[in-house]
Amino acid sequence: MATTLTRAVERRPLSTPPPRRRRTPWWPYLLIAPTVLAMGFLLLYPLVRNVVMSVQEFGLPQLVRGGARFVGLANYTRVLSDPEFWAVVRRTLVFTAINVVLIMVLSTLVALLLVRLGRWTRLLVMSGLVLVWATPVIAATTVFQWLFQSRLGVVNWVLVSLGFEGYRDYTWFADGPATFGILVALIVWQSVPFAALSLYAAMVTVPSELYEAARMDGAGAWREFASITFPVLRAMFGLITCLEVIWVAKCFVQIWVISQGGPGQATTTLPVYAFQVAQSLQRYDLGAAVSMLMVLLLVLALLAYFRQMYRQEEVS
């Protein structure tokens, strides 16, 4: 009898306790709250303030006394109807396209070189890239100014030493295309380290078995890159391209220090143009409108690029 009761008790399903209500962990959110608030203030507030200023009549009197009145889209209409603005837009697009293409090509070549170098040689090259990347923008820009000085510049001295007498005391910064080329060289030189190191870090994650199988099929270096490296790292290439487009399009310090948009308007891009309008004409509302149009152009270009990438991913 006792045995039967014991078995009945053992077979009886035990009542499970009610599930405990999980407490929301607030402590992590409290820890990151100061950072989130600071980033919101530093990033969102200037953007919102710029948008508001672009729809106001905001010149020097309003800056001093206040009382800016809203004018709607009048500032945008005035900027978009100015032929000089569209000339600057075309120049900015050309400037950005040339720089980004050179940056991506050179960065890809450097990353492929790093993959094939030995340990110590790779460490030496990567140290040089990091030093270039860590060089302050003003310092690097000043060095390029010294290199291309008309009388004491190293570039003129080297060219004359090689027999090019036409470059004796040549004034690089008085010629529009020459200044444009110097700025392209400067920005490419500053941008390649980040893109090259990022691409190298992505390339070392590609399985080596894929390359071994391609070599067994007789594929060369170009075929390996076109069939394995680029398709596998397509998203990484797209991300770095987008970052470089943003970086180049918003370059201001290099252009302003070297040429201030000159000679003439040969190196005036949208950031420089917005600053010139705001400071020279003291029309901060028009400068804000130009900067917001630049942001809109960047967003549209990046959205079009992302859409194209998404379509390619669907096809593949």
Side-chain angles (χ1 to χ4, degrees):
M1 184 69 178
T3 305
T4 306
L5 291 176
T6 304
R7 291 178 180 176
V9 170
E10 289 178 351
R11 293 175 180 176
R12 183 184 302 169
L14 298 176
S15 59
T16 57
R20 297 179 61 183
R21 184 177 181 181
R22 295 186 60 183
R23 295 182 179 180
T24 304
W26 293 106
W27 184 243
Y29 298 100
L30 292 177
L31 290 176
I32 67 173
T35 303
V36 173
L37 293 176
M39 293 297 293
F41 178 77
L42 294 176
L43 297 178
L44 294 180
Y45 175 76
L47 179 62
V48 174
R49 187 70 185 92
N50 199 63
V51 173
V52 173
M53 191 183 301
S54 67
V55 294
Q56 290 178 328
E57 182 183 0
F58 201 99
L60 184 60
Q62 288 77 20
L63 179 64
V64 176
R65 299 193 303 264
R69 65 185 183 89
F70 285 89
V71 294
L73 300 179
N75 294 323
Y76 291 95
T77 303
R78 180 172 177 178
V79 170
L80 293 174
S81 60
D82 187 1
E84 184 179 357
F85 170 76
W86 293 109
V88 173
V89 170
R90 289 191 294 269
R91 190 180 302 113
T92 304
L93 293 177
V94 172
F95 183 77
T96 303
I98 292 175
N99 276 281
V100 172
V101 169
L102 290 176
I103 290 169
M104 293 307 298
V105 171
L106 294 177
S107 300
T108 303
L109 294 176
V110 172
L112 292 172
L113 176 65
L114 289 173
V115 172
R116 287 162 174 77
L117 289 177
R119 178 180 179 183
W120 295 107
T121 310
R122 183 190 304 122
L123 181 61
L124 181 62
V125 174
M126 293 177 68
S127 300
L129 291 173
V130 171
L131 288 176
V132 172
W133 189 18
T135 304
V137 176
I138 293 294
T141 306
T142 304
V143 169
F144 267 72
Q145 284 182 308
W146 291 344
L147 289 174
F148 290 93
Q149 278 188 348
S150 58
R151 292 184 178 273
L152 303 176
V154 176
V155 175
N156 282 358
W157 175 77
V158 170
L159 291 175
V160 172
S161 300
L162 294 176
F164 298 96
E165 288 295 329
Y167 287 96
R168 185 180 298 276
D169 298 336
Y170 180 73
T171 307
W172 292 88
F173 300 112
D175 182 65
T179 307
F180 191 94
I182 292 171
L183 288 170
V184 168
L186 171 60
I187 294 173
V188 169
W189 180 77
Q190 292 177 321
S191 305
V192 163
F194 167 76
L197 292 175
S198 300
L199 290 175
Y200 165 73
M203 287 179 183
V204 296
T205 63
V206 180
S208 58
E209 293 82 2
L210 298 178
Y211 295 107
E212 293 175 0
R215 295 190 190 100
M216 292 179 61
D217 292 337
W222 168 250
R223 187 65 179 175
E224 290 180 6
F225 177 79
S227 301
I228 300 175
T229 306
F230 185 77
V232 172
L233 303 178
R234 187 190 304 273
M236 190 64 179
F237 276 95
L239 175 62
I240 296 177
T241 301
C242 293
L243 292 177
E244 294 301 335
V245 167
I246 296 173
W247 157 256
V248 173
K250 70 183 185 64
C251 278
F252 170 80
V253 175
Q254 300 91 327
I255 301 175
W256 188 258
V257 172
I258 285 183
S259 64
Q260 297 186 359
Q265 297 290 324
T267 58
T268 300
T269 57
L270 280 173
V272 178
Y273 181 68
F275 183 80
Q276 289 174 342
V277 171
Q279 295 297 323
S280 301
L281 303 179
Q282 296 179 348
R283 290 300 305 270
Y284 306 107
D285 47 2
L286 296 179
V290 172
S291 62
M292 291 310 303
L293 289 172
M294 174 185 164
V295 172
L296 180 60
L297 289 174
L298 277 176
V299 170
L300 292 177
L302 294 177
L303 286 178
Y305 185 79
F306 284 135
R307 183 180 180 184
Q308 183 65 25
M309 284 187 58
Y310 180 73
R311 287 182 176 178
Q312 291 177 356
E313 291 292 336
E314 285 186 340
V315 171
S316 59

